Amino acid sequence: MEDASREQWGSRLGFILAAVGSAVGLGNMWRFPYVTAESGGAAFLVLYLVMVLLVGLPIMLAEFSVGRGSKKSPIQALAHYGGPGWKPLGGLFVLTGLLILSYYAVIAGWTMRYTLAALVEGFQGVDAAARFDRFAAGLDAVGWHLGFMALTIAIVVGGIKKGIERAALTLIPLLFLIVIGLDIYAATLSGSGEGYAYYLQPSLDALMSPDVLAAAAGQAFFSLSLGMGAMLTYSSYLSKEENLPQESLTIALSDFGIAFLAGLLVFPLMFALGLSGEVGESTVGALFISIPGAFTTMGGAGRVVGFLFFGALFVGALTSSISLLEVVTSSAIDGLDWTRKKAALVAGVGIAILGLPAAFSLDALSLVDQLAGNVFLVVGALMLSIFVGWTMDDPIAEVRKGAGDVGWFPLWRQFLRWVVPALLLLVLYYSLQDTWAMITGMIG
Ligand code: PHE
């Protein structure tokens, strides 16, 4: 039952850049540095890379095999291989997409506001913390949140080739260029050496802590856009038999590369400007206060660097948000027979409304981030691993198309059966504990 009317990517590069665009986002440049700082610097970096390779890659390949194999959006793709009993997992994916985008767009709205602030006031005049208070919650935040959602909807309405692929082809190379340029600039700051040292010298005892392990796994899923069907959906628009293992590796390494490069930027910047005390601050806003604080002390250069820095954050957030909205949109197109325009509009407006609490309260925002990012994504990935490991008929046959027959494919499946679920159960245990502590902390 191949659907001839299904949209397709225009080129292999278009698919790869769109998937890299989904992966690279606020997770790399905002979440990664502060989670790294919170979790012992370089030790976390090592564990994170291990998680990307050990759990991230197998799950990405699993999403690709289900997506390309079925050529359907998540709910129907799972039903295609597993029967209607698996539809609720697809439903969880859609729900997770709705929830993540609802607060992600609020933070993305901040990045737009900060890009403008860099241009207009060059981060002079106002105290950084006071500025954050003004921008982050309240009517200001609501306005930019809605504006950002309107932009996201407009691109998704444009479709796979003319909307999403075109945006990725222009924005992603730009993003890489800006980040590399800023890295070079950061290296010239005096005092940056301390920042590199903090970032790149592992403290080995932190490596052994289960909390750090759970944080590394959660961050890997979030950053690679796994566990909620984004990669599944994107791969359902593949027309030819691409080499899926190779594409997974390219995407995962690009994502890790940008996260790593973002660290090479953020840490020297903070240390060179004597803000090292703030590095470990765990609140969602740390980066939005300390980094602009650094730009303030840099004077005229701060205006240019600040504009590029927040501009890059904004670009990354946009290409990720379109993938989140696409999961919901494609599900409505396939499941409800809606046109793309109607699906993207209704879903986008619904998500914009759902995000209002996060635009008014940082507590609400952190709570949804913890719940969707660290719990739902892990549950989603766990179930998908079980699905492809045990239920799906012959995932290896799907992967073989375009990749030939490679000796480690059976090993991949065994990994999905045993190793990945065992690790994820452990991770889930710690994530649930963290979530519970957060909830009781907010009530108490
Ligand atoms: N990967 C994106 C980021 O790092 C966030 C995201 C999560 C996007 C889940 C899609 C799905 O910013």
Side-chain angles (χ1 to χ4, degrees):
M1 291 185 300
E2 284 255 317
D3 177 3
S5 67
R6 189 169 186 79
E7 294 177 80
Q8 291 176 348
W9 300 108
S11 66
R12 171 171 177 253
L13 185 68
F15 162 69
I16 292 182
L17 288 190
V20 169
S22 169
V24 171
L26 297 172
N28 303 62
M29 300 177 66
W30 157 76
R31 210 172 185 269
F32 177 76
Y34 92 70
V35 180
T36 305
E38 227 180 13
S39 314
F44 178 80
L45 190 70
V46 175
L47 267 187
Y48 174 68
L49 185 60
V50 171
M51 280 297 152
V52 166
L53 298 175
L54 213 66
V55 192
L57 272 181
I59 294 276
M60 192 182 297
L61 193 53
E63 290 210 18
F64 283 166
S65 68
V66 176
R68 189 188 64 184
S70 66
K71 300 217 179 341
K72 290 183 165 65
S73 52
I75 298 179
Q76 297 188 340
L78 290 166
H80 175 86
Y81 283 119
W86 281 91
K87 279 191 175 177
L89 179 58
L92 176 70
F93 287 172
V94 174
L95 175 72
T96 308
L98 285 164
L99 282 177
I100 293 186
L101 185 52
S102 76
Y103 72 86
Y104 198 88
V106 173
I107 305 170
W110 302 348
T111 69
M112 284 173 94
R113 184 67 189 90
Y114 272 86
T115 309
L116 184 74
L119 265 186
V120 175
E121 40 140 306
F123 294 120
Q124 303 301 312
V126 193
D127 170 62
R131 182 187 303 107
F132 181 71
D133 283 344
R134 182 149 53 81
F135 289 171
L139 287 181
D140 216 292
V142 172
W144 291 93
H145 162 66
L146 296 179
F148 181 83
M149 278 308 300
L151 204 59
T152 307
I153 294 170
I155 295 177
V156 173
V157 166
I160 295 303
K161 229 181 275 185
K162 294 219 177 77
I164 299 178
E165 181 169 351
R166 194 188 278 173
L169 282 171
T170 38
L171 294 178
I172 294 304
L174 184 71
L175 176 72
F176 272 77
L177 276 181
I178 296 178
V179 173
I180 292 171
L182 290 177
D183 275 330
I184 296 172
Y185 170 77
T188 66
L189 297 172
S190 67
S192 54
E194 265 178 80
Y196 293 131
Y198 175 81
Y199 181 41
L200 299 174
Q201 274 168 16
S203 78
L204 287 175
D205 30 320
L207 266 179
M208 296 300 135
S209 135
D211 280 338
V212 177
L213 186 80
Q219 175 61 21
F221 288 133
F222 188 88
S223 187
L224 291 170
S225 309
L226 295 175
M228 49 74 64
M231 291 298 173
L232 189 164
T233 305
Y234 271 13
S235 68
S236 75
Y237 300 116
L238 276 172
S239 55
K240 294 194 215 72
E241 304 299 3
E242 308 286 359
N243 186 332
L244 296 179
Q246 192 181 311
E247 315 300 39
S248 309
L249 196 65
T250 307
I251 294 160
L253 290 183
S254 307
D255 184 62
F256 179 79
I258 281 285
F260 183 72
L261 290 174
L264 284 184
L265 169 61
V266 167
F267 291 106
L269 215 56
M270 296 177 93
F271 277 82
L273 294 143
L275 301 163
S276 51
E278 295 174 39
V279 170
E281 237 177 275
S282 63
T283 64
V284 286
L287 215 65
F288 285 89
I289 298 173
S290 46
I291 295 280
F295 295 148
T296 305
T297 64
M298 284 160 52
R303 170 169 296 200
V304 181
V305 177
F307 174 71
L308 292 174
F309 179 81
F310 285 108
L313 268 176
F314 160 65
V315 164
L318 185 61
T319 53
S320 297
S321 296
I322 55 186
S323 74
L324 287 159
L325 184 58
E326 178 60 23
V327 170
V328 186
T329 303
S330 71
S331 303
I333 296 174
D334 289 355
L336 304 171
D337 247 340
W338 286 2
T339 62
R340 167 167 287 277
K341 191 169 175 188
K342 177 177 176 190
L345 257 174
V346 172
V349 170
I351 291 168
I353 295 170
L354 195 66
L356 290 180
F360 280 108
S361 144
L362 285 181
D363 270 356
L365 191 154
S366 317
L367 189 63
V368 188
D369 178 39
Q370 171 70 23
L371 207 63
N374 287 349
V375 179
F376 287 11
L377 287 186
V378 178
V379 173
L382 173 67
M383 296 309 292
L384 188 84
S385 165
I386 292 171
F387 180 80
V388 176
W390 297 95
T391 305
M392 193 173 162
D393 199 23
D394 194 358
I396 295 178
E398 182 54 40
V399 174
R400 240 184 240 134
K401 292 180 199 156
D405 204 0
V406 181
W408 57 260
F409 287 169
L411 199 68
W412 165 64
R413 190 148 198 229
Q414 294 307 321
F415 229 72
L416 290 175
R417 286 192 169 166
W418 305 102
V419 182
V420 175
L423 261 170
L424 290 187
L425 273 176
L426 193 74
V427 167
L428 189 61
Y429 173 77
Y430 286 103
S431 290
L432 284 173
Q433 270 189 343
D434 281 354
T435 310
W436 184 242
M438 188 168 190
I439 293 172
T440 50
M442 278 178 186
I443 298 170

